[in-house]
Amino acid sequence: MSIRRIPSEHTVAFLLGVVFFAVATASVSFARFDGGVAYVWGAAGLLLARLVTLPVNRWHLPLLWCGLGCVLEIAVFGLGWRAVPALTPVLLLEPVLAAMLLRRVLGPGLHIATVRGMLWFIGLAGIVGPLVSGVFAGAIVVFYANAPYWTNLLHWVVAHGLGAVLVTPIAYVAFNPEWIGRISHWKRSDLFANTALLLVVAATSVFVFYQKTAPILFLPLLPMVLATVRGGRMAAIASVIIVGATGAVLTAQGRGPINLMPGSTGEKTLLLQGFIACTVLLVLPVASLLTQRRIIAERWRESEARYRTIADSLGDAIIDVAADGTIRYASSAIAGMTGLPSDEVVGSSAQDFIFADDAPTVAEAYRQALETPGRAVIVQYRGAPVDDGERRWFEASIRAVTAQGEALGIVGSIRDISDRKSLELSLTREARLDPLTGLANRRAFLEQLEQRCAATPSASPNARAGSLAILDLDHFKRINDRFGHPAGDAVLQAVATEAMRFCRSHDLVARIGGEEFCVIFGGATMADAETAADRLRQAIRALRIPIGDDQTITVTASIGLAEIVPGGAAPEILKRADTALYEAKRHGRDQLRIAA
């Protein structure tokens, strides 16, 4: 395995200074047609691209080496040593000012993938920076070259603005080279297709810039866009380089549409730069947007795979139902509830698996979920008979799926509560339910606790009778005193509903008096019971209970937890849990404590 070395900042800054000097020298040597400023200037775009990738406190190295490049270029190929002290700061001012303004408005980086980011980039890097530096540069050129001020100011602003717009995006990608490694992962078919599209770009460019009878500069844009869509940023940059190089060489030979235009050589040079800059602003944002879409698609696929794995590992069935009632997704647990594998359930109507007498109740819950996005709606219903011919009870917790404020369907979890329903019906028959909350009352709870304590210890060392949690609402009397007993009843009912939501089919939730509840976690280890009880405590704290007039009440609970030992005494276990509860109260409430 080869280890890829990353150049140090000193090395990168030095190389940038060398390239800056070479580009600046070429501009002054070949594009300074009338003794004034150069008609081509891309050096500032190189420095700007580097500055926007770095925090401000690390700008000194690029500025140092590019400053040395400026000094050598001005002294040897430009206006001479005398102009170095005046012109060097002006040349560096342009990219520094543009980088600072872009960072202040858009943050670090070059944000040209959006219309807003592109407009700010063109305005600040292509107009404001060149205009501010041009005000000083025009005066310097007048003093050292005896050239007209306004003409050179105009040429400076146009040449430097076009150079920044043309060079900065390409150089910025070069300073973020992680995309280059993607070429090695291209399939052979991708490499062949991208190469073919670039050859089409080259052939089209040669045809357009070789002939000089028709102004068809627009013609290369189509294959450039196609190459960008197919090959991404690499193809976009290659397309710009191909078109730019072809256009520059053939235009310098007197061919191509640019030479059909009237004007001097310098003006034609500016026009060619403007055309190439437009191609950059066309294809690079497209490439950036496509890259973002690819990243989003990859994350979506990963998220979907993770979601399916989690959903299939749960005991509850997870479903996704469209607004018209069609099942779009069902986890593997649905097979045990419907007798059909999940792939056969998908595409069916959800009503097909609901007992007809309960269909209106489920439909009303579905309607409530769609009308109140963000709120979970719990509904119990009987399903269609499965292999054993028994009609079983299910509980669904459903919530609306929304996009831009519009409900698109619901997602929900379904669990089999047939055992719990049997117990509830038995309790109802024997008047063992709390009339306010619908939970088991104190008598039913004590009988259930005594049954578990009286059970013969299993031969298996891992078998457990379960755990007991006593839950007491904190400062409940204040709620009654401040808001009245109806509000207190609403709080008790909301807490009861939340507790039932966390309860498994073989657990028991009871209200044993006032604001005190008990939960028997059947067969649960202390670790599992502690996790479940603490989640319940957090869920109660997150409740927002409406009491009318747009008012809501919040409440917290303290919990004591003790293990149910087979053969132990129910009063002793209850006392241990109660002691842990008061320990939680004594330590500040809204706490969970485990009995010693």
Side-chain angles (χ1 to χ4, degrees), residues 446-578:
L446 290 174
E447 287 184 0
Q448 181 69 214
L449 179 61
E450 288 173 356
Q451 289 177 11
R452 291 183 178 274
C453 291
T456 303
S458 171
S460 172
N462 295 323
R464 296 178 180 273
S467 302
L468 167 65
I470 299 182
L471 179 155
D472 187 85
L473 302 184
D474 300 324
H475 303 300
F476 183 76
K477 185 176 182 299
R478 296 180 185 177
I479 295 176
N480 281 331
D481 292 343
R482 181 178 176 185
F483 300 101
H485 288 281
D489 291 346
V491 170
L492 294 173
Q493 291 170 337
V495 171
T497 301
E498 198 69 8
M500 289 297 292
R501 192 166 71 87
F502 279 83
C503 184
R504 301 167 300 173
S505 59
H506 50 280
D507 296 339
L508 175 68
V509 181
R511 180 187 176 208
I512 60 174
E515 66 272 21
E516 199 169 37
F517 297 83
C518 284
V519 181
I520 295 178
F521 297 104
T525 64
M526 283 295 291
D528 290 340
E530 180 182 2
T531 300
D534 198 57
R535 287 179 56 212
L536 175 58
R537 179 187 63 81
Q538 295 178 38
I540 292 172
R541 182 175 57 191
L543 285 174
R544 299 295 182 271
I545 304 159
I547 61 170
D549 296 330
D550 295 330
Q551 282 188 298
T552 59
I553 294 178
T554 59
V555 67
T556 61
S558 300
I559 302 177
L561 186 65
E563 184 177 9
I564 300 174
V565 182
E572 179 61 26
I573 295 172
L574 190 60
K575 181 179 179 180
R576 291 176 61 235
D578 203 45

Side-chain angles (χ1 to χ4, degrees), residues 334-340 353 383-394 416 418:
I334 201 71
M337 301 178 182
T338 63
L340 297 174
F353 305 100
V386 288
D387 295 339
D388 57 9
E390 180 185 358
R391 195 175 299 282
R392 296 155 72 184
W393 277 91
F394 300 99
D416 190 328
S418 299

